[in-house]
Amino acid sequence: MARRPRLPLPPNDDPSQLLPRWGADIDPELLGLALTHRSYAYEAGGIPHNERLEFLGDAVLSIVVADRLYHDHPDLPESDLSRMRAATVSQEPLALVAREIGLGDFIRLGRGEDLTGGRDKDSILSDTVEALIGATYLSLGLEETRRVVLQLVSNLLDHAVERGQTQDWKTIIAEYAQREHLGEPVFTVHGQGPDHHRLFTAEVAFGDGDVQGVSTASSKKHAENMAARDAMQRIDPGFLGTGS
């Protein structure tokens, strides 16, 4: 029987060194799981990976940020709060958080992802942040996780109003379409590739009209958001200003 090729080690193979940067202790088994990307799990013979923790962490992150925005901005309507939350918990800002703590050095990646720059991909970094939030929640409960999350995203929350005006492209395009009487934007998403390296291509059109925007990403949510941005850039280039 052929031996399975040895998987690459991350630049820092001591996850405990991440914890002071993260701001809390995490159960060692959950910490290791949170740092295991699906590409590594696949090449290792189908061991567990971090996507279930990512699912949990996404929900915890959303409620913690929503709660803080609700109390910090009592006069803003739901639509503004939704945009501000999206601008705080979406892929790009979470990847910034990951880079600030050097998270990429600790992620266990398969050989292909490791060789193609996976340690600095927004999608992998943001997903791992969510997985770590899930692991923190299971290890320490909601209140301690709230403290960690708010500490990590404090700068994002300080600028949530400005970021909310330009980051949630699905909401922006929906409001634009309503204002210009274009019809409701309709998103279509197609997945391709194996489960451990799946990509999603999203297209957006107005009603039954022609496709206006297209984007491909490793998550449906990000593909849709970037397809909306692509559509806005095509329809009204001046709307994006400098392209933030």
Side-chain angles (χ1 to χ4, degrees):
M1 184 176 180
R3 294 183 60 185
R4 187 176 297 275
R6 184 174 180 180
L7 290 168
L9 294 175
N12 192 326
D13 195 34
D14 182 3
S16 67
Q17 293 187 16
L18 175 64
L19 296 178
R21 310 180 195 182
W22 181 251
D25 288 333
I26 299 175
D27 174 83
E29 185 174 345
L30 288 172
L31 176 60
L33 182 60
L35 295 171
T36 302
H37 186 257
R38 65 190 179 197
S39 63
Y40 184 97
Y42 173 79
E43 293 183 23
I47 65 174
H49 54 76
N50 64 8
E51 288 188 353
R52 282 172 52 85
L53 284 176
E54 175 195 335
F55 163 79
L56 178 60
D58 176 65
V60 174
L61 172 65
S62 184
I63 187 61
V64 168
V65 170
D67 178 74
R68 172 52 65 92
L69 292 172
Y70 178 88
H71 288 96
D72 283 356
H73 303 279
D75 300 324
L76 291 182
E78 181 271 343
S79 57
D80 287 350
L81 294 175
S82 293
R83 282 195 295 270
M84 291 160 64
R85 179 180 60 183
T88 305
V89 306
S90 59
Q91 188 175 102
E92 181 185 351
L94 291 185
L96 292 174
V97 169
R99 291 187 182 99
E100 287 175 357
I101 63 173
L103 179 56
D105 287 346
F106 295 87
I107 302 173
R108 297 169 182 169
L109 294 175
R111 189 171 304 279
E113 283 289 1
D114 193 38
L115 292 173
T116 56
R119 297 189 187 284
D120 197 44
K121 286 184 181 177
D122 281 4
S123 57
I124 292 176
L125 290 172
S126 61
D127 289 349
T128 308
V129 168
E130 290 177 342
L132 285 168
I133 291 171
T136 306
Y137 173 76
L138 291 177
S139 298
L140 303 171
L142 180 58
E143 290 312 309
E144 184 66 5
T145 306
R146 185 193 307 272
R147 180 191 64 78
V148 172
V149 168
L150 293 178
Q151 177 178 300
L152 290 169
V153 302
S154 60
N155 186 58
L156 297 172
L157 288 170
D158 288 344
H159 299 90
V161 173
E162 309 93 279
R163 294 181 61 84
Q165 294 171 353
T166 58
Q167 297 295 314
D168 183 6
W169 294 103
K170 287 186 69 176
T171 299
I172 289 171
I173 200 172
E175 294 176 347
Y176 182 90
Q178 182 178 32
R179 186 169 62 249
E180 301 297 326
H181 307 290
L182 299 174
E184 183 178 354
V186 177
F187 291 85
T188 304
V189 183
H190 304 284
Q192 59 186 15
D195 288 343
H196 66 281
H197 192 64
R198 198 153 181 79
L199 293 175
F200 298 91
T201 297
E203 300 176 344
V204 59
F206 296 109
D208 296 327
D210 295 334
V211 171
Q212 298 293 331
V214 181
S215 183
T216 298
S218 60
S219 74
K220 293 180 182 179
K221 181 169 61 176
H222 190 57
E224 289 180 338
N225 197 46
M226 290 297 97
R229 185 186 190 279
D230 182 50
M232 286 302 304
Q233 190 169 27
R234 297 185 191 195
I235 297 165
D236 186 358
F239 184 89
L240 272 68
T242 58
S244 60

